[in-house]
């Protein structure tokens, strides 16, 4: 790992120890339909604009990942980054890491054909490929730390409270106009 990255991790750790109030982070992602006849979505997070879509076999144009694929991308990337951060923190040499994850789902749950079938993944499995001279014991210790500290893995394994508000934009605009806005 580059010395500057190692130094930056140490600086962040020191700052958060000294100022735990700075540890809370709020992340906002937004998605909006951009194709009235299809499933194309514009997805925004921070200064990034991504494209979401459904595959052609589901009446999409396949111009971007479908939402559940974004979940898998998040898990693979987060796992890979957490391996690098934890290897650095533990002093375990790591020359390379790649992660491949596969999710299995049943479309009947998503399209409402069978309420007994969950709409999301039935299972997710993956492979982590490490390029390291570390001992098996160090790799096991690294894996334990990653599985304990990977944020997306934690989000998938433990229930997270989710509250979604639904607003009818037309009615909200009408109420605003009626109130003199």
């Amino acid at each position: 790992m580059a010395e500057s990255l190692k130094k930056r991790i140490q600086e962040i750790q020191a700052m958060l120890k000294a100022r735990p109030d700075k540890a809370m982070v709020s992340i906002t992602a937004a998605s909006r339909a951009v194709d009235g006849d299809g499933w194309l979505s514009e997805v925004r997070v921070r200064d990034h604009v991504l494209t979401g879509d459904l595959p052609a076999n589901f009446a999409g144009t396949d111009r971007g990942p479908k939402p559940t694929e974004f979940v898998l991308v998040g898990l693979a990337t987060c796992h890979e980054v957490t391996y690098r951060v934890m290897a650095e923190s533990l002093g375990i040499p790591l020359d390379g890491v790649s992660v491949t994850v596969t999710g299995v789902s049943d479309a009947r749950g998503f399209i409402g054909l069978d309420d007994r079938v969950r709409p999301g993944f039935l299972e997710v499995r993956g492979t982590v490929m490490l390029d390291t001279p570390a001992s098996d014991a160090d790799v096991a210790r690294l894996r334990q730390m990653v599985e304990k500290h990977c944020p997306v893995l934690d989000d998938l394994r433990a229930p997270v409270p989710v509250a979604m508000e639904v607003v009818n934009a037309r009615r909200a605009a009408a109420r605003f106009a009626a109130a003199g806005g």
Side-chain angles (χ1 to χ4, degrees), residues 97-114:
V97 58
S98 63
V99 178
T100 303
V101 294
T102 300
V104 176
S105 61
D106 184 332
R108 293 175 301 163
F110 170 61
I111 61 174
L113 282 181
D114 189 341

Side-chain angles (χ1 to χ4, degrees), residues 86-169:
M86 289 298 144
E88 193 63 43
S89 296
L90 295 170
I92 296 173
L94 186 60
D95 297 322
V97 58
S98 63
V99 178
T100 303
V101 294
T102 300
V104 176
S105 61
D106 184 332
R108 293 175 301 163
F110 170 61
I111 61 174
L113 282 181
D114 189 341
D115 286 340
R116 296 169 298 170
V117 176
R118 64 178 292 163
F121 290 119
L122 303 173
E123 70 173 321
V124 175
R125 58 186 176 276
T127 302
V128 178
M129 297 292 290
L130 301 178
D131 181 4
T132 179
S135 68
D136 289 345
D138 279 345
V139 170
R141 187 167 55 111
L142 176 58
R143 178 182 181 174
Q144 183 179 34
M145 289 297 285
V146 169
E147 291 197 1
K148 183 176 181 181
H149 295 283
C150 178
V152 176
L153 182 63
D154 177 67
D155 287 339
L156 292 171
R157 286 185 170 168
V160 176
V162 177
M164 299 294 289
E165 176 185 12
V166 176
V167 176
N168 184 324

Side-chain angles (χ1 to χ4, degrees), residues 2-180:
E3 194 62 34
S4 63
L5 186 52
K6 179 179 180 178
K7 182 180 176 190
R8 185 65 187 134
I9 291 169
Q10 291 170 341
E11 289 170 353
I12 292 169
Q13 288 172 332
M15 186 271 295
L16 292 178
K17 283 181 186 176
R19 297 284 315 270
D21 59 301
K22 297 286 187 184
M24 295 300 290
V25 177
S26 179
I27 300 168
T28 300
S31 179
R32 70 178 188 88
V34 293
D35 182 1
D37 294 330
W39 305 113
L40 195 63
S41 300
E42 178 185 89
V43 181
R44 294 181 175 270
V45 61
R46 293 187 295 140
D47 294 330
H48 304 284
V49 179
L50 308 168
T51 299
D53 200 354
L54 292 180
N57 68 352
F58 219 85
T61 58
D62 205 19
R63 289 191 271 176
K66 64 183 184 175
T68 53
E69 291 168 335
F70 277 115
V71 171
L72 295 176
V73 166
L75 176 59
T77 304
C78 192
H79 223 63
E80 174 255 317
V81 168
T82 305
Y83 262 95
R84 292 189 289 152
V85 169
M86 289 298 144
E88 193 63 43
S89 296
L90 295 170
I92 296 173
L94 186 60
D95 297 322
V97 58
S98 63
V99 178
T100 303
V101 294
T102 300
V104 176
S105 61
D106 184 332
R108 293 175 301 163
F110 170 61
I111 61 174
L113 282 181
D114 189 341
D115 286 340
R116 296 169 298 170
V117 176
R118 64 178 292 163
F121 290 119
L122 303 173
E123 70 173 321
V124 175
R125 58 186 176 276
T127 302
V128 178
M129 297 292 290
L130 301 178
D131 181 4
T132 179
S135 68
D136 289 345
D138 279 345
V139 170
R141 187 167 55 111
L142 176 58
R143 178 182 181 174
Q144 183 179 34
M145 289 297 285
V146 169
E147 291 197 1
K148 183 176 181 181
H149 295 283
C150 178
V152 176
L153 182 63
D154 177 67
D155 287 339
L156 292 171
R157 286 185 170 168
V160 176
V162 177
M164 299 294 289
E165 176 185 12
V166 176
V167 176
N168 184 324
R170 289 182 186 179
R171 289 206 169 92
R175 282 193 298 273
F176 180 73

